[in-house]
Amino acid sequence: MILIDRFLSDEQDPKAVEKVLGKLNDMLTSNEELIYMAVQKKPAVNLLPDCIAVSNKRIFYCEPGNFGITMNFKDISWKSIKEVSFKEELFGSKFICVPLHGENIITEYIPKVQARKLYQAAYEQLESFKEQQRQLDLEERRSSTSPVTVNTLPTPEPVEEEPQAFFSQPPAAPIIQAEEPEDETTLKLRKLKSLYDKHLITQEEYEAKKADILDSL
């Protein structure tokens, strides 16, 4: 269960936060955690404010419907987001989400303190996702382009020697050693361990994914 107090640190509307958290608690997936929530504060009447919540997997947009009786939720995952930004104005700030495809998502009248913290949380999660993808792509390129190396001993150069009264044994034939390529399961485990060592995934995610890979054998 999500604790409401941690999302009221910057004067968010308690009623709006409580209503949204009650719904989001059932929408979160495995290993998903809410990081920050901002609540709209309109300059005149603020009875039905919109809310924006950031998790480690996506951004939630929460809009009241039917005069506050229902809540409409839409979300966008980090893999679908190009960048995030905010712009301070006379009455609060605009929070701007730029998706890879489609129009920008703009939410107005976010209190300035909340907008700054919302942007910071969203930016950090987006950069973390991009870095994780870069590491995965790099590992995939390395595994797909690494050839099998063949190590051979250098052929000794001929050395002139004085005639001897006995026959020397012929030089040993060069030894050729070929490294066997790692199987697919070993590669997956090595990539997963690399992500965990670089703190790009949690221990729970590491253990869960490792179990999935081993179960597939």
Side-chain angles (χ1 to χ4, degrees), residues 25-39:
N25 187 55
D26 298 328
M27 298 173 62
L28 298 179
T29 61
S30 176
N31 298 320
E32 184 172 14
E33 177 186 2
L34 285 182
I35 298 171
Y36 191 77
M37 180 182 298
V39 181

Side-chain angles (χ1 to χ4, degrees), residues 46-78:
N46 195 52
L47 297 178
L48 302 172
D50 294 347
C51 298
I52 304 176
V54 171
S55 81
N56 58 327
K57 294 187 177 182
R58 49 187 162 165
I59 297 179
F60 291 93
Y61 288 88
C62 318
E63 302 175 353
N66 298 321
F67 303 99
I69 299 176
T70 60
M71 292 293 296
N72 299 320
F73 291 88
K74 59 183 178 181
D75 64 283
I76 180 169
S77 62
W78 297 119

Side-chain angles (χ1 to χ4, degrees), residues 4-209:
I4 187 174
D5 292 344
R6 56 179 292 207
F7 298 103
L8 300 176
S9 57
D10 298 309
E11 300 182 358
Q12 290 94 332
D13 184 335
K15 292 182 179 179
V17 171
E18 183 177 9
K19 181 178 293 186
V20 170
L21 285 180
K23 302 290 185 180
L24 288 181
N25 187 55
D26 298 328
M27 298 173 62
L28 298 179
T29 61
S30 176
N31 298 320
E32 184 172 14
E33 177 186 2
L34 285 182
I35 298 171
Y36 191 77
M37 180 182 298
V39 181
Q40 194 177 51
K41 188 172 184 181
K42 301 174 184 177
V45 180
N46 195 52
L47 297 178
L48 302 172
D50 294 347
C51 298
I52 304 176
V54 171
S55 81
N56 58 327
K57 294 187 177 182
R58 49 187 162 165
I59 297 179
F60 291 93
Y61 288 88
C62 318
E63 302 175 353
N66 298 321
F67 303 99
I69 299 176
T70 60
M71 292 293 296
N72 299 320
F73 291 88
K74 59 183 178 181
D75 64 283
I76 180 169
S77 62
W78 297 119
K79 67 179 180 180
S80 301
I81 298 175
K82 181 179 180 181
E83 62 183 19
V84 293
S85 63
F86 75 101
K87 180 180 180 182
E88 293 189 355
E89 299 182 323
L90 182 60
F91 296 104
S93 301
K94 286 182 179 179
F95 179 75
I96 305 165
C97 174
V98 181
L100 293 174
H101 306 286
E103 298 180 354
N104 294 351
I105 305 172
I106 302 174
T107 306
E108 297 183 303
Y109 306 123
I110 301 296
K112 295 180 180 179
V113 173
Q114 294 181 38
R116 287 193 289 268
K117 292 188 177 181
L118 178 67
Y119 166 75
Q120 181 182 17
Y123 177 82
E124 288 177 352
Q125 292 303 312
L126 181 58
E127 288 302 304
S128 176
F129 173 80
K130 289 180 178 179
E131 177 61 27
Q132 183 177 347
Q133 289 301 114
R134 283 193 290 266
Q135 293 297 329
L136 287 173
D137 292 341
L138 182 60
E139 290 291 338
E140 289 179 358
R141 286 196 298 269
R142 286 176 177 173
S143 62
S144 62
T145 59
S146 296
V148 177
T149 58
V150 178
N151 298 325
T152 59
L153 294 175
T155 303
E157 296 182 359
V159 178
E160 294 184 0
E161 297 182 353
E162 294 293 331
Q164 298 183 11
F166 60 90
F167 295 96
S168 61
Q169 295 182 352
I175 300 175
I176 300 177
Q177 298 179 344
E179 297 179 359
E180 295 183 0
E182 295 179 325
D183 59 68
E184 185 179 358
T185 299
T186 303
L187 283 174
K188 289 182 178 179
L189 292 173
R190 183 163 57 84
K191 293 178 187 176
L192 186 64
K193 185 63 167 60
S194 175
L195 292 176
Y196 175 71
D197 292 340
K198 296 173 182 176
H199 306 289
L200 296 176
I201 58 174
T202 64
Q203 184 176 0
E204 292 78 9
E205 292 175 322
Y206 169 75
E207 295 295 340
K209 189 64 178 175

